[in-house]
Structures are given as structure tokens and as C-alpha cells.
Amino acid sequence: MNVVIIGAQWGDEGKGKIVDYLAEKAQHVVRYSGGPNAGHTIVVDGKQYALHQVPSGILYPNETVFLGAGMVIDPERLFEELQLLKENGIDWEGRVFISDRAHIILPGYRTMDKERDSKRKRPIGTTGRGIGIAYGEKANRDGLRLADLDWPEKMAEYTGEDKTFLDAYKERLLAMRVDLAAKMWEHRNDNILFEGAQGAMLDIDSGTYPYVSSGPSCSAGAAVGSGIGPHNLDCILGVFKAYQTRVGNGPMPTEFNTTSEGELCEYIRTTGNEYGVTTGRPRRCGYLDLVALRYACRVNSLDGLVLTHLDIYDDMNEIEACIAYDIGGKIVTDFPANVQALNSAKPILKKFGGWKTSLRACKSYALLPENARAYIEFIEDFTGTPVSIVSVGSERNETFVRQDPWEKPCAKTEKPES
């Protein structure tokens, strides 16, 4: 079985925790896009792990993980991350492999990334990790792949700081190199989990362009960045939070008004710990945007949704979610491509009753309070996609499955079992 996990919003949805949770039944985990700009937080037995380039399945001692062809790799940051894992008792050696088609981020790319964004008329709010430059070099066909490290003519093009940098990491990188397409074929009868980075609304083609990431964060990217065909993706799940967040610039129609909703924004941000894992920046917060979520379900062929951070609402009397936009007096129910329209959109909100009790002890859907179930069922009806997994806390075990993605069929037409 091949199961894909993507973010269904603007990133930071809790993908790392869900990949870690589902990886228990997988033999291999493939990270198929992004680079050190991603930040996945996992909490196991009270201990927190922050991962950026290494796939979340690394915490299971018998799993192999792959950094895919769609990734851009910063060797310096990668080996720093691996060293931290080792210091925390995670034996990674012999279990972490890199696609020979993955591209490499050179030291100067970080500076170039920040300078380019600062000169834009409409800055993106980049993490400054050199991601955009690396993907740009790739698109211009001037990039450096792992496969090129033992190509003498290619390596002769690099001098000075770049040569010193590459010489320091070349042998270690080559020792981890694999033909990922061949590996995927070799393991075709195993359970493989494909881990996306960022979120669907940051995809370079279907996201809120130009305020997007530079690579594919859509479900189709799992095939492109992993060396398998799209027909071999058996189940696609989209992770979303019970509310909305975004880091960096760009439209966010349901963002809380800091004047009239500042207290609510601060409550959500503080209770949900909404600060970037990679940058530490406070995340922009807002109401759950069901218009955007339904769009993400449709363009990514989501078989199921994974709801996280539902427990953040435990102490609230009522909650609200966006079911349409008011754009210039017109009611809009489909997510528009036009940035100006999105910037002027006013959310039309629907109220839901709160539950005023802790969800963290709930081990099944049936144990959730009635109002929490009503909220989930409205989301399912609105998006036409079942909520297959629910997370009610940050710990690995504070999660329950309604429809197991490792069991066939994984079909969105089927209602999940309670």
C-alpha cells in the first residue's frame, strides 16, 4: 500500500505527527518535496522532536526513510539534524537515504533568497533557507543534483566557497545515495508512506500564487518526487487544523481582525502554540476556511481528511467556520485564483456550539461530545470528504482512526466507521 499525507491548508497542520503515527504500519517513509524550510514537530512520551528534512518515520527503529527527488537538500542543515537525532538516542545510520535526483542547496543560496525577497514589490515572506533559489536553478537546468557529485566535469564548475562546501559533504552524501525509482519498485509490495511538505494552498500551481512555495506540495507531487506512477498511489489524506493558520505573506480570507478579534487570535495562537518550527515566527491565525479546504480536497483527490488541534477549542462556548466569501457584495463559494479578490474577501461564518470539556482522553469518535461530532460531520458534508483520523492532543497516542488508510479500499465515497 502507498499512502500519501499532504497538508490541506497553508502548512503547519500537524503533518509530522500524523506521518509519525501512521508510520507504525509502514516499512518505509518517503519525503517527496521541500527542504529545510519545512518544520515537523513530533511529541512522543513527552519528548519533542523538531524535524526539517528528515522524514518523520525515522523515530521508528526499524524503518528506512528516503529524501525524495522532489526535495532540495541543504547538506549542512541535514547533518546537523541527524546529529541531534543521534544525541537524542535515535540510531539513524543505515536507515536514511537520499534520491540521486534530489537537488543541493549551496551556501550562497540563503543570502540570495533573502535579498531577492527584500527587493520584491510584494515580498513573499520567505524562510530564507535558499529553497526558492535551488528550485529556480533546477527549473533553469543549472542546478546540482546528488547524482552529479561524482561527475568531474560538472564539479569543476564549482570554485571557492561552493567547492569547499561540497568537498566537506560529498563523501557522506554519496554514501547515502540511492536510485529511488528502483527502490520504490523493489519495495512495491511493502507499506510506503509518502510525506509532503508545506500545504496544498502553498503549491506552486494550485496555491495562492505568487505567495506559494517553490515546489510541489500537492498530492501529485508524491508521484513526481518519489519515482512512482500516479496509479500507484492507493490513498491520499489531507491534514487540516480545526482553525486556520498561515506563515508569511499572502491572502488569508478568514484571518482574525486584530482590532475586533485580537483576544481570540491570541488565545488560539497561545493555546495552539502557533509559532513556526523553522523560523519561530508567530503564525497568522483565523477561522477554519471550509471554502479553501473543499478546494484542496477536490484538486488533490483526497480520499480522507485528518483533523488536528480540535482540542484547542475545548474551553470555548462557541466556534465559527467560514462557509463562503463576500467579495464586493457577491457571495462566492468556490476558491478564486485572483489575489486581489482573496484580499478583499470577507468570510461568511457559521456558528457551532462548543463542548466545554477536554477531548484529550477521547479514544474514539463515539466518545467525543455531541457538539464536537456535529462540527466534524458538517465539515464532512461541506467538503464531501470523510474525516478519517482525529487528533485531540500533541502526543502520538492522542489520536484515533475512523478509517484505516492501510486497509483497502480507501475511498472517499465510503462513510467512515464511528
Side-chain angles (χ1 to χ4, degrees):
M1 280 283 286
N2 293 325
V3 174
V4 181
I5 301 293
I6 70 165
Q9 295 169 314
W10 279 285
D12 309 309
E13 304 94 346
K15 296 182 295 298
K17 174 193 169 173
I18 300 306
V19 170
D20 169 73
Y21 181 80
L22 292 175
E24 184 178 13
K25 293 185 179 180
Q27 285 79 52
H28 318 282
V29 179
V30 180
R31 167 81 178 278
Y32 65 81
S33 66
N37 57 336
H40 294 169
T41 302
I42 303 165
V43 181
V44 182
D45 297 330
K47 191 170 186 177
Q48 181 171 299
Y49 300 86
L51 301 175
H52 300 277
Q53 297 182 88
V54 180
S56 302
I58 194 62
L59 300 185
Y60 289 92
N62 298 318
E63 306 230 343
T64 55
V65 301
F66 299 91
L67 282 68
M71 288 189 68
V72 287
I73 310 295
D74 183 330
E76 181 180 8
R77 299 289 184 262
L78 173 62
F79 287 108
E80 286 175 355
E81 190 174 331
L82 291 171
Q83 180 60 29
L84 284 172
L85 285 170
K86 186 174 182 178
E87 290 171 4
N88 281 280
I90 306 299
D91 183 12
W92 63 267
E93 294 184 72
R95 299 196 296 122
V96 180
F97 302 96
I98 309 173
S99 168
D100 54 8
R101 289 178 166 84
H103 280 246
I104 294 174
I105 298 173
L106 295 174
Y109 288 5
R110 293 193 286 267
T111 301
M112 292 167 64
D113 202 358
K114 294 173 185 175
E115 288 179 350
R116 178 173 292 182
D117 202 46
S118 68
K119 293 176 181 178
R120 286 188 172 104
K121 292 181 180 179
R122 291 174 292 276
I124 305 299
T126 173
T127 60
R129 297 299 193 271
I131 309 302
I133 303 300
Y135 276 119
E137 291 293 284
K138 176 180 178 178
N140 287 330
R141 292 153 292 181
D142 293 319
L144 176 67
R145 303 176 305 160
L146 199 64
D148 303 330
L149 291 179
D150 54 5
W151 178 11
E153 291 85 354
K154 179 69 175 179
M155 295 305 293
E157 299 172 8
Y158 299 95
T159 59
E161 181 188 23
D162 289 341
K163 183 180 186 304
T164 301
F165 178 81
L166 292 169
D167 286 345
Y169 295 105
K170 176 181 175 180
E171 294 307 319
R172 279 185 283 175
L173 289 170
L174 288 175
M176 300 164 71
R177 174 179 60 174
V178 295
D179 179 338
L180 188 55
K183 283 291 181 183
M184 292 296 95
W185 179 253
E186 178 186 337
H187 298 305
R188 63 191 180 279
N189 295 320
D190 292 342
N191 282 349
I192 305 176
L193 191 58
F194 296 85
E195 174 183 2
Q198 287 79 52
M201 305 309 291
L202 290 173
D203 182 75
I204 192 157
D205 290 305
S206 55
T208 50
Y209 189 89
Y211 301 97
V212 292
S213 188
S214 302
S217 49
C218 60
S219 60
V224 174
S226 302
I228 66 170
H231 279 301
N232 293 327
L233 302 178
D234 298 301
C235 184
I236 303 169
L237 298 180
V239 185
F240 75 105
K241 282 189 282 209
Y243 48 92
Q244 206 81 21
T245 64
R246 181 166 192 166
V247 171
N249 301 328
M252 182 179 168
T254 64
E255 185 170 11
F256 293 134
N257 184 304
T258 53
T259 302
S260 60
E261 299 165 324
E263 186 176 342
L264 176 59
C265 179
E266 189 57 33
Y267 173 81
I268 295 293
R269 181 178 290 144
T270 302
T271 309
N273 192 29
E274 295 299 346
Y275 297 89
V277 178
T278 302
T279 63
R281 290 183 292 184
R283 296 173 184 143
R284 298 158 61 189
C285 299
Y287 301 105
L288 175 62
D289 189 336
L290 290 173
V291 178
L293 183 62
R294 181 169 60 189
Y295 168 75
C297 290
R298 290 172 175 175
V299 299
N300 290 284
S301 298
L302 296 187
D303 296 303
L305 287 164
V306 180
L307 171 58
T308 67
H309 289 65
L310 186 61
D311 55 299
I312 303 306
Y313 285 147
D314 284 355
D315 293 328
M316 296 182 64
N317 292 316
E318 67 176 19
I319 57 180
E320 295 179 275
C322 171
I323 58 171
Y325 305 141
D326 180 339
I327 302 178
K330 181 181 178 181
I331 304 303
V332 175
T333 56
D334 289 319
F335 193 81
N338 187 280
V339 171
Q340 186 177 8
L342 286 168
N343 282 333
S344 65
K346 297 177 182 178
I348 296 174
L349 302 172
K350 177 177 173 60
K351 295 182 186 294
F352 299 85
W355 39 88
K356 300 292 287 184
T357 187
S358 175
L359 301 183
R360 301 190 78 155
C362 295
K363 300 301 182 185
S364 71
Y365 185 73
L367 293 177
L368 289 176
E370 182 181 352
N371 283 353
R373 295 198 305 270
Y375 184 58
I376 292 171
E377 287 161 15
F378 183 87
I379 292 169
E380 290 183 314
D381 290 340
F382 190 94
T383 62
T385 309
V387 174
S388 303
I389 301 173
V390 179
S391 168
V392 291
S394 58
E395 286 277 357
R396 178 189 281 171
N397 61 4
E398 292 174 325
T399 313
F400 58 83
V401 176
R402 302 175 68 201
Q403 183 173 318
D404 191 340
W406 296 116
E407 296 177 2
K408 291 185 178 182
C410 176
K412 67 177 67 178
T413 53
E414 295 187 357
K415 267 292 191 184
E417 295 293 330
S418 297

